[in-house]
Amino acid sequence: QVQLQESGPGLVKPSQTLSLTCTVSGASISSGDYYWSWIRQPPGKGLEWIGYIYYSGSTYYNPSLKSRVNILVDTSKNQFSLKLSSVTAADTAVYYCARGVGATAGRMDYWGQGTLVTVSS
Amino acid sequence: DIQMTQSPSSLSASVGDRVTITCRASQSIGRYLNWYQQKPGKAPKLLISDASSLQSGVPSRFSGSGSGTDFTLTISSLQPEDFVTYYCQQSDSSPFTFGPGTKVDIQ
């Protein structure tokens, strides 16, 4: 059974860096069979794909966030992480990690439960 | 970026009704279209991939069709647990984008 679990601070101050980790169980990131994505959802709003990483460290970021986003992978811990810098209130959202499959790795078949991150002083 | 639209944004229906949700892409995406169901406070759940492939464990009352720019999700007979929000998503090219969602309410 594949499971993903997000962890990290629930409150971040404006201008600081948001840092989250996704721990994967039931699947090996280093297998190279999947890509690993971050997606966010502001309260009461729709879904925005942030970017993904491959086990090798290769990444693709949404251009709308590219200047502030960094996604890293730690295959030894079977984890990948998200860093979003210079946050503002507009970055307040539930952040999800997910596994990407398919020809383009854009189909997300397993998701974490999500973690709410609030940006506030 | 490929823009995704959905219609309607919300609909009211009754248990047993047949409902159809439409999704349109701003350019051709072949059949790289996925449908997700999201219950309040929960993560989205993949229902249908590649326009019409039902995921394992998803009830057969859900079906998808379409190709190119126009797609539909049909629920043949609404059940009480189906009154939630549905999103389409294109996986043809990065950045992957979602539709704004369709909320299905009890009439």
Side-chain angles (χ1 to χ4, degrees), chain A residues 13-25:
Chain A
K13 289 182 167 54
S15 80
Q16 294 190 343
T17 296
L18 178 160
S19 296
L20 296 173
T21 297
C22 182
T23 301
V24 179
S25 58

Side-chain angles (χ1 to χ4, degrees), chain A residues 4-8 20-23 37-39 80 94-98 111-116, chain B residues 43:
Chain A
L4 295 89
Q5 178 69 57
E6 305 89 352
S7 59
L20 296 173
T21 297
C22 182
T23 301
S37 281
W38 287 98
I39 306 100
F80 62 107
V94 175
Y95 286 77
Y96 297 100
C97 57
W111 295 60
Q113 65 184 23
T115 187
L116 174 63

Side-chain angles (χ1 to χ4, degrees), chain A residues 23-95:
Chain A
T23 301
V24 179
S25 58
S28 174
I29 288 179
S30 58
S31 71
D33 293 332
Y34 311 104
Y35 281 67
W36 303 91
S37 281
W38 287 98
I39 306 100
R40 70 179 183 177
Q41 185 173 35
K45 296 188 178 181
L47 297 156
E48 179 180 32
W49 181 76
I50 297 170
Y52 65 36
I53 192 163
Y54 193 50
Y55 81 102
S56 62
S58 174
T59 55
Y60 183 95
Y61 302 139
N62 192 323
S64 67
L65 296 167
K66 186 176 181 179
S67 63
R68 299 193 292 129
V69 169
N70 198 16
I71 299 176
L72 302 170
V73 66
D74 186 338
T75 55
S76 68
K77 295 182 178 179
N78 218 34
Q79 295 176 334
F80 62 107
S81 61
L82 170 70
K83 294 188 184 300
L84 182 65
S85 63
S86 305
V87 297
T88 69
D91 295 309
T92 293
V94 175
Y95 286 77

Side-chain angles (χ1 to χ4, degrees), chain A residues 37 39 41 45-49 52 60-64 96 101 103-114, chain B residues 1 32 34 36 38 41-46 48-50 55 87 89-100:
Chain A
S37 281
I39 306 100
Q41 185 173 35
K45 296 188 178 181
L47 297 156
E48 179 180 32
W49 181 76
Y52 65 36
Y60 183 95
Y61 302 139
N62 192 323
S64 67
Y96 297 100
V101 297
T104 63
R107 179 172 83 237
M108 286 159 277
D109 63 348
Y110 286 94
W111 295 60
Q113 65 184 23
Chain B
D1 299 3
Y32 288 107
N34 309 302
Y36 298 85
Q38 188 176 33
K42 300 295 186 182
K45 172 188 175 183
L46 181 63
I48 289 171
S49 63
D50 297 334
Q55 296 302 291
Y87 293 93
Q89 177 238 343
Q90 66 82 15
S91 53
D92 176 70
S93 60
S94 308
F96 307 121
T97 47
F98 293 84

